[in-house]
Amino acid sequence: MNRLGQVAVITGVSHSKGIGAAVCLEFAKAGYDVFFTCWDAEEKWLKIFKKEIQDYGVVCNYIEADFRQQDSYTRVLNGVEATLGVPVILINNAAHSVVDGYKNLDVNMLDEHYAVNMRALMMLSVEFAKRFEASPFTAGRIINITSGQNLGPMVDELAYGATKGAISAFTSSLSAELAPLGITVNAVNPGPTDTGWMTNEIKKELLPKFKMGRIGMPKDAARLIAFLVSEEAEWITGQILHSEGGFLRS
């Protein structure tokens, strides 16, 4: 399959060490045109990163998107179509996370998690499917990023855990609806991943729990996602894949 001209949308790409950035580069290497969203990112880095993607011979563009805004999903998909064309791949990577705990959780904190982690992801997905259905394409992919909320408690992350956990149920139900359109819908849980948030103390604590002997890296998630959008994965849908390098929670 000649992938040049096929458009992939990746949300939540705001710094070089994130999973979103790794996915963009993996897709560019495979020949997909890349459209990504960012928020509160350095303009200098955005320009450098855009060129890095374009150096693979593909087209790239991006848009700043505040997914707390109700119309954000429409702005993103309109921006994609206006510059690159109708997308065939949607990677819902953007997320909002604030440490809370039952003593600190309030309505505003919960609403912001809901807006980004659930509403934006869900509306992007259904609008993507509607536009795909009206296009000449016959194979599409939606991949949602989760965090293994069903595998154990996330202490002091009540809003994050609850809203990200809802993605698994949404993925399963949406996959059944979109299968007749040729769109697969899956979710990926990359496990604890070193995207810049881990201190040396956190790494020291987590490392013994990775039975493969190292901390998870963004490229690990990116490679799995690249497989899931390939033709080889056309029979995989409605799945939540836990790709954690043997990480032990107990």
Side-chain angles (χ1 to χ4, degrees):
M1 180 176 64
N2 182 8
R3 294 165 177 169
L4 289 173
Q6 290 199 318
V7 180
V9 178
I10 303 96
T11 68
V13 184
S14 297
H15 60 89
S16 62
K17 296 181 179 180
I19 290 175
V23 172
C24 287
L25 293 175
E26 200 71 27
F27 282 5
K29 292 176 187 176
Y32 291 104
D33 290 340
V34 172
F35 188 99
F36 66 88
T37 76
C38 59
W39 178 246
D40 196 27
E42 293 184 4
E43 189 64 32
K44 180 179 179 181
W45 174 78
L46 288 170
K47 292 179 179 179
I48 293 173
F49 186 60
K50 179 180 178 180
K51 184 180 183 304
E52 186 177 357
I53 292 172
Q54 291 173 325
D55 285 344
Y56 285 99
V58 301
V59 182
C60 177
N61 210 337
Y62 62 86
I63 188 173
E64 188 174 53
D66 180 358
F67 286 120
R68 293 171 298 182
Q69 304 300 316
Q70 289 190 5
D71 66 344
S72 59
Y73 71 97
T74 302
R75 288 185 57 248
V76 169
L77 291 175
N78 286 347
V80 178
E81 291 192 12
T83 56
L84 274 69
V86 178
V88 297
I89 296 169
L90 172 63
I91 311 300
N92 284 309
N93 173 66
H96 178 72
S97 177
V98 175
V99 174
D100 49 37
Y102 78 95
K103 291 184 179 180
N104 298 314
L105 182 62
D106 58 28
V107 171
N108 291 333
M109 190 180 296
L110 184 59
D111 283 350
E112 287 197 345
H113 280 82
Y114 160 74
V116 178
N117 297 343
M118 290 175 59
R119 186 182 68 201
L121 178 149
M122 293 175 180
M123 294 310 301
L124 270 171
S125 297
V126 299
E127 184 64 20
F128 166 90
K130 292 174 184 177
R131 299 186 186 205
F132 180 92
E133 186 174 12
S135 77
F137 299 110
T138 58
R141 304 283 190 268
I142 297 175
I143 299 176
N144 302 317
I145 308 301
T146 67
S147 301
Q149 283 74 21
N150 63 316
L151 301 179
M154 299 189 73
V155 180
D156 292 331
E157 294 188 76
L158 295 174
Y160 179 76
T163 53
K164 291 287 283 186
I167 295 172
S168 296
F170 179 75
T171 296
S172 177
S173 295
L174 186 65
S175 69
E177 289 196 27
L178 300 189
L181 303 182
I183 301 174
T184 65
V185 186
N186 293 291
V188 169
N189 161 34
T193 303
D194 186 6
T195 58
W197 63 274
M198 292 184 183
T199 63
N200 289 333
E201 289 76 16
I202 291 175
K203 291 179 182 179
K204 184 177 181 180
E205 178 184 350
L206 291 179
L207 185 57
K209 297 183 179 183
F210 283 96
K211 296 292 95 177
M212 295 190 73
R214 66 172 177 84
I215 301 288
M217 299 300 294
K219 64 181 180 181
D220 297 314
R223 289 169 180 168
L224 174 56
I225 292 168
F227 167 71
L228 289 173
V229 306
S230 70
E231 288 182 331
E232 288 78 7
E234 67 179 0
W235 203 238
I236 302 172
T237 194
Q239 304 302 305
I240 291 82
L241 289 88
H242 302 290
S243 179
E244 300 185 315
F247 182 73
L248 299 177
R249 281 175 164 71
S250 58

